[in-house]
Amino acid sequence: MIEVRNVSKSYGEVQVLRDISFSVKRAESKIILGSNSSGKSTLLRLLMGLEKPDSGEIIIDGKDITKLSEWELIKFRKNKSIVFQEGALFDSLTIRDNVGFKLYDEGWDEEEVDEIVFKLLQFVGLEHTIDMYPSELSGGMKRRVAIARAMAGEPNVIFYDDPTAGLDPVTSRTICDLIVKLRDIEGVTSVVVTHDLSVAYFISNFMALVNDEGMISLREQSEDFCFINSSFLMLKDGKVIFDGSEKALKKCEDPFVREFIS
Ligand SMILES: Nc1ncnc2c1ncn2[C@@H]1O[C@H](COP(=O)(O)OP(=O)(O)O)[C@@H](O)[C@H]1O
Ligand SMILES: [Mg+2]
């Protein structure tokens, strides 16, 4: 679904990304770890086509997005979404208008948007907030609204930039549940930047299942119930120092990786 080949990016004299290569399969979560200023957010901006790398290729949906014009990028981004660290809702708009923003923009009529927005809010368990403003919601609720907004337009890829930053563990868990549900039930490919290892392991160890009645439940993977739907990438000073499964990550002998996961 995503293939990054030898991507480098500098700002002035500072090289932020150095010869980055990795790939993400359809409906897989790529979990990106790394300390502050290692280039994680920059990488997400490149993957969304918000900036261009200095060199290298980024193939998404079979196209090298580094070669697309601004107009083609707008089309490319129609079914891609990004959840920013702070949720980044519009404070002056209701939750309905925040979640429906992209759909209104695409010219859907009000009734259709209303119906879709309600369903999206139901998915994140916040349909009762539809007429409220962001200021009336807790930090965790805002983040869930941001995820509902990201789901509008049925994206096939969602990028999450530290979606649980500043949230308590219980609220973080509700965000992780949504990321896992979107991946396993809706088949959304995701790239999840996080500094929180418990978030990373949750996304890598749990999977969402839906039963005959349409009820969704989460199940922890084990020896006899294992479905590999995530992998890890670790950045250090703009370079990939690890790319592989959770099992391989835990066995990795690189001292920086060991220190990071210990
Ligand atoms: N637009 C920019 N102009 C100049 N420097 C930038 C810009 N964006 C990011 N940087 C620098 O690139 C480095 C990596 O930043 P970032 O991608 O935000 O890291 P992370 O998300 O891993 O914390 C930092 O040193 C940051 O100061
Ligand atoms: Mg960042």
Side-chain angles (χ1 to χ4, degrees):
M1 185 78 202
I2 301 176
E3 189 165 352
V4 175
R5 293 185 193 144
N6 309 105
V7 161
S8 297
K9 174 80 181 170
S10 297
Y11 293 110
E13 300 282 280
V14 187
Q15 196 173 22
V16 176
L17 296 173
R18 305 159 194 250
D19 201 25
I20 303 275
S21 298
F22 65 91
S23 57
V24 190
K25 295 192 192 83
R26 197 172 294 276
E28 183 189 39
S29 320
K30 191 79 175 178
I31 300 159
I32 302 191
L33 301 170
S35 38
N36 285 342
S37 300
S38 54
K40 305 181 298 296
S41 297
T42 303
L43 180 58
L44 290 189
R45 287 198 301 276
L46 298 184
L47 292 173
M48 270 295 274
L50 298 170
E51 283 183 67
K52 288 200 192 296
D54 302 328
S55 57
E57 297 172 336
I58 299 172
I59 321 286
I60 303 181
D61 294 340
K63 285 189 212 87
D64 182 356
I65 65 160
T66 68
K67 304 246 163 32
L68 299 183
S69 65
E70 229 9 84
W71 189 81
E72 290 168 318
L73 280 170
I74 290 170
K75 234 171 75 185
F76 159 78
R77 282 195 291 264
K78 272 197 194 308
N79 63 348
K80 307 285 172 295
S81 284
I82 185 160
V83 176
F84 292 103
Q85 195 162 335
E86 295 79 21
L89 300 179
F90 302 110
D91 290 329
S92 60
L93 299 183
T94 60
I95 300 308
R96 172 188 283 103
D97 290 348
N98 263 286
V99 174
F101 195 81
K102 192 170 180 176
L103 302 172
Y104 287 122
D105 202 43
E106 287 176 6
W108 294 60
D109 75 49
E110 208 154 316
E111 246 167 66
E112 286 171 315
V113 174
D114 219 52
E115 199 175 309
I116 297 169
V117 165
F118 190 81
K119 282 203 185 116
L120 295 175
L121 284 170
Q122 252 179 339
F123 189 85
V124 302
L126 288 176
E127 62 275 24
H128 61 284
T129 68
I130 194 160
D131 290 315
M132 296 184 182
Y133 285 89
S135 61
E136 298 173 76
L137 270 50
S138 70
M141 289 160 96
K142 283 186 208 166
R143 223 64 71 84
R144 277 149 66 198
V145 170
I147 293 179
R149 181 176 63 181
M151 290 165 66
E154 303 187 341
N156 59 1
V157 182
I158 301 183
F159 303 103
Y160 301 90
D161 196 352
D162 220 339
T164 63
L167 300 180
D168 62 79
V170 176
T171 311
S172 286
R173 168 68 204 269
T174 64
I175 304 297
C176 293
D177 283 5
L178 288 173
I179 295 174
V180 167
K181 273 161 64 179
L182 280 171
R183 177 190 63 202
D184 301 335
I185 310 289
E186 307 291 331
V188 173
T189 305
S190 50
V191 178
V192 187
V193 165
T194 183
H195 69 284
D196 186 338
L197 275 176
S198 64
V199 165
Y201 291 147
F202 185 90
I203 294 170
S204 132
N205 285 313
F206 278 79
M207 100 170 261
L209 300 160
V210 57
N211 70 10
D212 295 340
E213 280 94 54
M215 290 281 291
I216 298 171
S217 60
L218 261 66
R219 184 160 161 197
E220 188 162 11
Q221 306 196 32
S222 61
E223 291 279 311
D224 56 328
F225 176 78
C226 180
F227 185 77
I228 304 207
N229 47 12
S230 53
S231 65
F232 287 76
L233 185 84
M234 195 178 292
L235 294 181
K236 185 187 176 220
D237 302 331
K239 278 217 288 258
V240 173
I241 57 164
F242 176 83
D243 183 11
S245 66
E246 180 181 330
K247 221 172 178 175
L249 179 75
K250 287 179 168 162
K251 283 192 193 138
C252 181
E253 297 196 351
D254 180 280
F256 181 83
V257 174
R258 293 228 65 79
E259 165 94 30
F260 197 97
I261 65 171
S262 69

